[in-house]
Amino acid sequence: MSRPREDRQDGTGSPVPSGSAARHTVDPAVGPARHMGAPRRLPGWLKIGTAVVSVLLVGVIAFGAYWAIRLQGNISKASLGAGSDKTEPVVDDARDRMQILILGSDTRDGKNSQYGGPEDSTGYGNSDVMMLMDISADNKRVNVVSFPRDLLVDTPKCIDQKTKQEFPARQNVMINSAMSEAGIGCAVDTVNKLTGLEIDHFMMADFDSVKELSNTVGGVDVCISDAVFDPDSGLRLPKGTSKVQGEQALAFLRARHAFADGGDLGRIKGQQGFLSSLVRKIKDDGTLTNPAKMLQIADVVTKNLTIDEGMASVPTLLTVANRLKNIDVGKIAFVAVPTMPAASDPNRLDLAEPAASQLFAAMRKDIDLTDPTATPTPSGSPDVSATASPAPSTSPPAPAYDKAVQPVTVANGSGVPARSQEIIKSLTAGGFSQLAQLAAPAVVTTAVYYGAGFEDVAADVATLLGVPAAQVLPAAGVNGVQVYLGSDLVGGAAGADAPVQLPADIVNQTAGDVVCQQANPFLITR
């Protein structure tokens, strides 16, 4: 029998035997042919570890997706404005200065029906709480400014963004009614008109949110000077410090008669004390670094929250929350808008001038209310004060006229009532005393008009208020000088770098202060 040829013409070896012959090679040194070229087995521990990691990864993704969907589904949203024109660009929620209007709704429907019937709140309801939270661009300070609900203001024309129904402007109405007809956007537009700011976002919560949040954090410590019982809110507290949650936490925030003289300002101080204590508790308990606790709080908050469309996403809310977590509690300032009893009704409030205008001017200039005189060197800018030679001292030439007898009129077309007093105060500080004011149709751009022979006076007035020279114009119908204020909010300070004057007690407290509320003497119990 001849052997098979091994010298194939194509130069290859013999083909591998098939079938059973392949499983039984005659060369014991080779080993079973079925293992030739097969990959090595993975160690058992590596297989198990890979499986566990895979399961955990899928679980984490599923868990995150579940919470993202759940939290997003909780959110209710509404329009930011009610027809007003926005002149400022949309803010970068991660890096820009940001103003958020925080509202508490007094609606009595659904879960809130136990606090009254439909007759207690009409339309969209009134704002039971109104606070403007102002976060600095560098995330180093926050101002929280409270507006008393009894404050009388003028509301702008508002359009309900759902029904497109138009509601006319109103004069001398309580600020808490601003949202009752046209919705939350009208409250935003009203605060913009009052302060000269442009609010970036809003958040509105109902009664139930306070109860659930206070329960989630395990209660909030509050302090009062004497034992007190307020039958209207149901608040009952012993003297000293108590932990409130649930119904008693809501009663503390709603109590109108329990604090001070039983008015709205005492109520505001109580709310500010509660929020200060809540901030300290969340920071001290490490809640902001505890994902499980943060998810609980986020779930509670979003279930009872209405926010504007630009903020209505979980990532945006997380971005804002992340900006707040490292702020020093001593730089979270709680302020109440300065007020006085209203001339038209002693049970209502008017803005107290000039303090209110000073506060709004400081807010527009982004002043640190805890330290209004602070002038930090901007980041990246050299401090030239130590090296630059002082400029020679020269006195400006005296004007060729008597400022005290020059007629200057302030026509307010800015849409911000307080602006007239702010400008008049600046003119008075600049030496002008023959001043008058009048209401005027709304305009966008501020201008200084002057009659024949008053060009030099107009130039000095414009310089004093920071109005550009291109906006100083002759006008045949003007007697003397007229400052026509526009919505651009130019002017209002004696020079662009002049320090802002504020009442010494403008800040009620910071979040770092532990304050004991003064009990209303008429509700003290023994």
Side-chain angles (χ1 to χ4, degrees):
M1 178 182 296
S2 62
R3 299 180 58 187
R5 290 177 59 92
E6 298 295 340
D7 53 342
R8 299 182 61 189
Q9 291 181 356
D10 61 2
T12 63
S14 301
V16 177
S18 60
S20 59
R23 296 195 297 270
H24 301 284
T25 178
V26 295
D27 187 352
V30 174
R34 61 177 174 172
H35 297 302
M36 292 179 64
R40 297 176 59 190
R41 284 181 179 272
L42 289 175
W45 66 265
L46 184 56
K47 288 183 177 181
I48 295 172
T50 302
V52 170
V53 169
S54 300
V55 170
L56 288 176
L57 183 59
V58 171
V60 167
I61 293 173
F63 179 78
Y66 165 78
W67 275 104
I69 293 170
R70 173 168 174 160
L71 295 178
Q72 189 68 50
N74 287 344
I75 296 173
S76 299
K77 58 187 178 181
S79 297
L80 178 62
S84 63
D85 294 327
K86 189 169 178 62
T87 62
E88 297 177 359
V90 176
V91 297
D92 182 329
D93 294 316
R95 286 183 287 270
D96 291 342
R97 180 188 178 196
M98 181 188 298
Q99 286 116 21
I100 304 174
L101 187 64
I102 299 173
L103 302 162
S105 170
D106 73 349
T107 53
R108 267 75 172 184
D109 58 351
K111 293 178 291 185
N112 300 309
S113 58
Q114 62 181 300
Y115 303 108
E119 68 280 0
D120 295 316
S121 61
T122 58
Y124 288 97
N126 297 324
S127 52
D128 205 45
V129 175
M130 182 180 283
M131 297 178 174
L132 180 58
M133 181 168 67
D134 188 357
I135 307 171
S136 67
D138 59 7
N139 297 336
K140 291 184 178 179
R141 52 189 167 82
V142 174
N143 296 324
V144 182
V145 181
S146 295
F147 296 83
R149 66 181 193 176
D150 291 341
L151 177 63
L152 297 178
V153 299
D154 295 340
T155 62
K157 178 182 72 175
C158 292
I159 300 172
D160 187 327
Q161 299 300 294
K162 289 183 179 178
T163 66
K164 301 306 178 184
Q165 182 178 356
E166 183 176 306
F167 296 89
R170 296 183 291 165
Q171 287 74 45
N172 215 41
V173 297
M174 287 172 59
I175 195 170
N176 76 326
S177 69
M179 66 180 240
S180 61
E181 294 180 336
I184 306 169
C186 194
V188 172
D189 288 352
T190 298
V191 176
N192 286 342
K193 175 182 174 69
L194 186 68
T195 63
L197 297 166
E198 281 196 14
I199 292 169
D200 304 302
H201 297 295
F202 72 76
M203 297 180 174
M204 187 179 75
D206 59 19
F207 292 143
D208 207 56
S209 62
V210 176
K211 295 190 300 182
E212 292 192 23
L213 179 59
S214 62
N215 285 331
T216 301
V217 300
V220 177
D221 289 335
V222 296
C223 180
I224 194 162
S225 63
D226 298 274
V228 69
F229 173 60
D230 178 3
D232 288 339
S233 67
L235 179 68
R236 184 186 295 276
L237 288 175
K239 178 180 179 179
T241 300
S242 303
K243 189 182 296 293
V244 295
Q245 61 187 93
E247 289 290 347
Q248 279 296 286
L250 177 60
F252 190 90
L253 289 174
R254 293 185 64 212
R256 183 175 177 81
H257 306 297
F259 309 120
D261 61 358
D264 208 21
L265 297 181
R267 178 174 177 264
I268 281 177
K269 288 189 175 181
Q271 292 169 349
Q272 293 175 341
F274 180 95
L275 292 176
S276 296
S277 181
L278 177 61
V279 169
R280 292 194 302 273
K281 182 177 181 64
I282 288 176
K283 278 183 166 285
D284 293 345
D285 286 356
T287 301
L288 295 173
T289 56
N290 184 331
K293 200 70 173 177
M294 283 298 294
L295 283 175
Q296 280 185 283
I297 292 176
D299 193 34
V300 167
V301 170
T302 53
K303 281 193 298 187
N304 299 281
L305 195 66
T306 300
I307 54 184
D308 64 278
E309 293 163 339
M311 201 182 192
S313 73
V314 172
T316 302
L317 290 173
L318 291 175
T319 295
V320 176
N322 191 57
R323 293 184 62 171
L324 297 172
K325 69 180 183 181
N326 293 322
I327 295 177
D328 181 355
V329 291
K331 285 297 183 180
I332 302 177
F334 289 92
V335 178
V337 171
T339 57
M340 61 184 181
S344 59
D345 182 350
N347 294 314
R348 301 289 179 255
L349 298 169
D350 282 336
L351 291 176
E353 296 294 359
S357 290
Q358 291 171 346
L359 171 62
F360 298 151
M363 293 171 66
R364 289 193 297 272
K365 294 185 72 172
D366 196 18
I367 298 297
D368 181 355
L369 298 184
T370 63
D371 186 9
T373 62
T375 53
T377 301
S379 177
S381 299
D383 185 359
V384 299
S385 60
T387 57
S389 300
S393 177
T394 58
S395 299
Y401 60 85
D402 183 358
K403 287 185 176 181
V405 299
Q406 308 306 315
V408 181
T409 303
V410 177
N412 193 353
S414 69
V416 182
R419 289 285 288 156
S420 291
Q421 288 301 316
E422 183 181 329
I423 296 298
I424 284 176
K425 185 176 184 301
S426 295
L427 291 169
T428 301
F432 294 94
S433 56
Q434 190 175 329
L435 304 172
Q437 57 180 308
L438 52 90
V443 295
V444 174
T445 305
T446 296
V448 176
Y449 297 104
Y450 59 90
F454 286 90
E455 182 175 0
D456 53 349
V457 180
D460 289 342
V461 167
T463 300
L464 179 67
L465 299 178
V467 178
Q471 293 163 222
V472 181
L473 306 167
V478 171
N479 176 31
V481 175
Q482 182 185 101
V483 181
Y484 199 130
L485 300 175
S487 58
D488 55 355
L489 301 174
V490 169
D497 298 324
V500 173
Q501 294 181 330
L502 281 169
D505 58 351
I506 192 68
V507 176
N508 288 339
Q509 69 175 92
T510 71
D513 298 328
V514 179
V515 176
C516 215
Q517 306 302 320
Q518 184 64 44
N520 183 350
F522 294 102
L523 296 180
I524 291 176
T525 60
R526 303 298 180 190

